[in-house]
Amino acid sequence: MDQMEKLWAYMEEDIKADRIDSELRNSPARQSLEKLRAFIKERQNAYNAIDETIAVMADRKDAISDAISRAETTLSALIERANENPPETVEDTQLLIDEIEKCRRTVLSYEQELRKMSSESTEFDARKRTIRREAARAKQDFDQARAAYNAESQTKKEAYTAQRQAADAKAVGIPAELLARYGAVKRQITPPLARLTGGKCSGCNTSQPSAALRKIELGQEIVSCETCGRILIKS
Ligand SMILES: [Zn+2]
């Protein structure tokens, strides 16, 4: 058998092995596994983002509590001063009332913010519970999908190994540079070999120049199709 025919026989087995490998990679079980993995990761990120927001909120809460007690201190000082030295004019009385009112409004607005934060934190807790539930369910689905994939892939992996060995056996006796050329063409187009039929490349159906046809007939050098790049072999 000449080298090109050996290469052809090798290609047939090589492509079968590639097909099993691609089935393994594109199996629905594997794809649902990847999808679930991504979903769980996304839920974890959402959970962490809520925790970060809660931490920021806790800091703000501390700052507001401090501000409220400062405003309350100011308010008591104002009232005490008014008791000790009651304002004597209408203007002074009005000034005092304005100051007290300002303090009171500050306290009120801070208290309002605190109430809003407290309702938000209830909401965050509920969201976290939902996320935990969703993630736990996804984890269950993930474990099931993984078990299914492992069972399926075990059989397929064995079939792949056997087919790869069959291909390797066919490679025996083919010069290394011819195999390297085959590999290079295969990275561009597959199948990498094409029969010459009626002067045409059977891969892309392009008529080949007569010089190329002569070279192929002589079988002294490797000829590639100028259009698709496949290595041409006599029919
Ligand atoms: Zn071609």
Side-chain angles (χ1 to χ4, degrees):
M1 204 199 276
D2 88 347
Q3 283 172 359
M4 293 307 277
E5 285 301 333
K6 276 186 186 164
L7 191 62
W8 183 270
Y10 166 70
M11 179 182 76
E12 287 179 327
E13 300 307 316
D14 179 40
I15 282 172
K16 280 185 210 159
D18 287 350
R19 202 170 298 139
I20 300 173
D21 187 43
S22 127
E23 276 169 16
L24 207 52
R25 281 178 210 285
N26 301 319
S27 88
R30 178 169 174 147
Q31 282 175 353
S32 80
L33 207 58
E34 299 297 334
K35 224 181 264 173
L36 284 165
R37 196 198 304 276
F39 177 73
I40 292 170
K41 183 98 189 77
E42 184 274 320
R43 291 287 76 189
Q44 271 165 353
N45 289 344
Y47 193 88
N48 293 344
I50 292 177
D51 269 349
E52 274 168 38
T53 311
I54 288 175
V56 171
M57 228 164 70
D59 286 348
R60 175 73 185 143
K61 225 177 203 167
D62 289 347
I64 290 176
S65 300
D66 289 349
I68 288 178
S69 58
R70 275 198 305 277
E72 278 168 351
T73 310
T74 311
L75 197 58
S76 337
L78 279 174
I79 291 166
E80 201 176 313
R81 204 179 71 204
N83 284 334
E84 282 166 9
N85 302 300
E88 284 163 5
T89 65
V90 175
E91 286 82 2
D92 286 351
T93 309
Q94 190 55 53
L95 276 175
L96 182 66
I97 289 170
D98 288 350
E99 256 184 293
I100 289 174
E101 184 57 23
K102 200 178 128 203
C103 254
R104 211 178 57 84
R105 273 204 303 268
T106 306
V107 172
L108 278 179
S109 86
Y110 282 142
E111 280 173 350
Q112 205 172 16
E113 194 177 340
L114 279 181
R115 272 197 300 278
K116 188 169 156 256
M117 278 201 291
S118 143
S119 88
E120 272 173 0
S121 82
T122 312
E123 210 176 287
F124 282 143
D125 285 343
R127 245 149 73 187
K128 278 172 71 173
R129 275 196 301 278
T130 306
I131 292 176
R132 269 203 300 269
R133 254 201 320 274
E134 287 170 345
R137 210 176 302 140
K139 176 72 173 64
Q140 255 178 7
D141 293 349
F142 179 82
D143 289 342
Q144 272 177 10
R146 188 171 51 191
Y149 173 69
N150 285 346
E152 178 196 300
S153 68
Q154 189 53 37
T155 322
K156 279 259 169 70
K157 271 178 191 159
E158 283 162 11
Y160 172 74
T161 309
Q163 184 54 45
R164 188 44 74 202
Q165 278 166 357
D168 289 348
K170 295 278 182 189
V172 175
I174 302 173
E177 67 258 32
L178 186 53
L179 276 177
R181 177 82 178 264
Y182 170 92
V185 174
K186 192 177 140 185
R187 278 191 287 280
Q188 306 300 322
I189 193 158
T190 192
L193 299 186
R195 291 276 180 195
L196 196 63
T197 43
K200 287 178 176 174
C201 161
S202 61
C204 67
N205 219 24
T206 305
S207 295
Q208 300 298 309
S210 51
L213 296 178
R214 265 197 308 278
K215 281 183 196 163
I216 295 165
E217 197 50 47
L218 287 170
Q220 282 164 347
E221 57 185 297
I222 301 168
V223 180
S224 291
C225 168
E226 279 177 16
T227 307
C228 70
R230 288 183 174 94
I231 299 170
L232 292 168
I233 169 169
K234 274 193 281 190
S235 55

